[in-house]
Amino acid sequence: MNAELHHGLRIDGDRLLRRIEDLAAIGPIDGGGSCRLALTDEDRAGRDLVVTWMRDLGLDVTIDAIGNVIGMRAGRTDGPPTMTGSHIDTVRTGGRYDGNLGVLAGLEVIETLERNGVQTEHPVAVGFFTDEEGARFPPDMLGSLVYVGGMAVEEALDIEGIDGAIVGAELDRIGYRGTSPCPGPSPRAFVELHVEQGPVLEAEGITIGAVTGVQGISWTELTITGQSNHAGTTPMELRHDPGYVAAAVAAHVRDLAVRMNAAGPEGGDRQVGTVGRLELEPNLVNVVAASASMTVDLRNTDEALLQEAEADLARFVAQTAAAEGVTVTERTLARFEPVTFDDRVVDTVADVARRLGHTVKHMPSGAGHDAQMLARVCPTGMVFVPSRDGVSHNPAEHTDPADLVAGADVLLQTMLALDGLSLDGATLQRAGLYSEESDR
Ligand code: GLV
Ligand code: MN
Ligand code: MN
């Protein structure tokens, strides 16, 4: 392997930025973002564009039974690929970079290898996974969960979305129910580039996050049923008001997170809590609601603390419902324990980033990512780049072009370094492009 040859290899920033713009133009929304909810017509159009780019590059494209798409470039030897990827579905108020950056940077890595005639030892793959957001079909990371065998594909195909649509039927409708089996083949390593979606890197003036893991996620849907009645004539003490209970629960979710953080170590495992969806029926000014439907999103990097938060919420819901005389049914929409990434991959990301002249911070991810699923089956890590003002799941999401390019170059060199690493067994053998001798 020739260390010098690849040392100066860089992605084509203009090409990457152009592709980001082209994909963002599908499902455009006010404010410069995109709406491509999973398995909608817009998602199909985004998929078609990325698949076209994959085929233009001569990649071997496979689509599996849950609609995950993987483009593969052969290596000198056969066997599992060094893989990257992310998602191209968005929340309804999506930005241009969440997920899209990871997929398009992966494509750019492969195009860079192709144009420079670089042959890797192992195959290299880029994929996009179905319904990472979970905003239409819970849970989030659905496609990658099925890919690694965490949920049977039959179960996933039956999931009903917030609009009543069914995953399997929507996959058929948009033409993305493929024939490759699930679970899919494990890569030899996986690394995902993503925007941070939080404020840390920008606030500290750091360009690259070497992501150490992902916090645990707990999503619960509460359906509260009471007694609908006249808002003017029903005495307060006679009400069974789901709207009141929903509002109290929403306030409690905020309070419990604030209380846990006040008690915990500064900068330690932080609890967050969100009520992101709340609907009342019949939702009229002068009617005590008949029912309320709401979601609670709780997250913590510490599993025991996350369980504490869940138990606190359950106690409060039970007490408040009993006092108001309403009934509550609960449904778990997603529950994933915190994930720790493979030190070898995390260290490779940090090492490569420093050698490329970037500042680096080791940090956990607050958002869920496909990489946390892949971590179940192969050595996995992630690269973060800064998000302006920490804003995401919002059309105002922004990352400076220089940081997008820096992240893609770190991804390129990380994949090349991983290509040269022996990842079998516990011993880390540096055999790659960034050997200690060749780079100093
Ligand atoms: C998924 O992207 C999430 O973190 O909500
Ligand atoms: Mn994402
Ligand atoms: Mn997202």
Side-chain angles (χ1 to χ4, degrees), residues 8-43:
L9 201 62
R10 297 288 184 271
I11 63 105
D12 181 331
D14 290 340
R15 194 167 53 208
L16 172 64
L17 299 177
R18 224 170 23 244
R19 284 203 176 118
I20 290 173
E21 295 310 304
D22 288 350
L23 185 52
I26 299 177
I29 55 175
D30 285 351
S34 309
C35 175
R36 289 192 308 275
L37 284 166
L39 311 185
T40 55
D41 289 347
E42 292 75 21
D43 185 23

Side-chain angles (χ1 to χ4, degrees), residues 86-87 89 97-100 132-133 141 192 194-195 197 367-370 382 392-393 397:
S86 192
H87 61 98
D89 70 312
Y97 308 106
D98 177 0
N100 307 312
E132 189 274 350
E133 294 292 4
M141 287 83 68
E192 176 176 357
H194 206 285
V195 289
Q197 309 180 273
H369 296 292
D370 294 308
M382 290 186 74
S392 186
H393 285 183
E397 178 184 84

Side-chain angles (χ1 to χ4, degrees), residues 48 111 124 133-134 139 210 278 319 414:
D48 288 350
E111 179 141 13
V124 174
E133 294 292 4
L278 169 55
Q319 279 163 10
T414 298

Side-chain angles (χ1 to χ4, degrees), residues 147 256 411:
Y147 188 85
L256 85 82
L411 180 67

Side-chain angles (χ1 to χ4, degrees), residues 97-277:
Y97 308 106
D98 177 0
N100 307 312
L101 172 63
V103 176
L104 299 180
L107 202 67
E108 180 55 38
V109 164
I110 296 183
E111 179 141 13
T112 302
L113 299 177
E114 191 65 29
R115 288 189 180 238
N116 289 275
V118 177
Q119 204 185 7
T120 51
E121 183 63 25
H122 307 276
V124 174
V126 57
F128 59 85
F129 295 97
T130 295
D131 185 41
E132 189 274 350
E133 294 292 4
R136 187 177 182 210
F137 300 103
D140 49 352
M141 287 83 68
L142 179 66
S144 46
L145 179 66
V146 171
Y147 188 85
V148 302
M151 181 189 285
V153 66
E154 296 78 11
E155 186 185 339
L157 292 171
D158 280 346
I159 290 172
E160 184 179 339
I162 53 171
D163 52 3
I166 305 295
V167 167
E170 287 294 86
L171 272 174
D172 286 334
R173 191 183 66 78
I174 68 166
Y176 274 90
R177 191 202 289 237
T179 52
S180 295
C182 296
S186 297
R188 57 184 292 281
F190 185 83
V191 59
E192 176 176 357
L193 169 64
H194 206 285
V195 289
E196 180 200 340
Q197 309 180 273
V200 175
L201 290 175
E202 183 186 56
E204 299 189 15
I206 290 169
T207 305
I208 299 293
V211 185
T212 51
V214 179
Q215 66 181 344
I217 300 175
S218 169
W219 284 1
T220 308
E221 182 185 66
L222 303 175
T223 306
I224 306 164
T225 309
Q227 174 64 58
S228 190
N229 212 332
H230 195 291
T233 60
T234 314
M236 297 312 286
E237 65 278 13
L238 295 184
R239 295 185 182 209
H240 307 289
D241 184 354
Y244 163 70
V245 174
V249 169
H252 185 77
V253 166
R254 163 64 73 100
D255 292 345
L256 85 82
V258 169
R259 183 168 24 81
M260 285 176 73
N261 293 337
E266 189 54 38
D269 298 301
R270 309 287 289 174
Q271 181 64 44
V272 289
T274 306
V275 171
R277 178 163 72 76

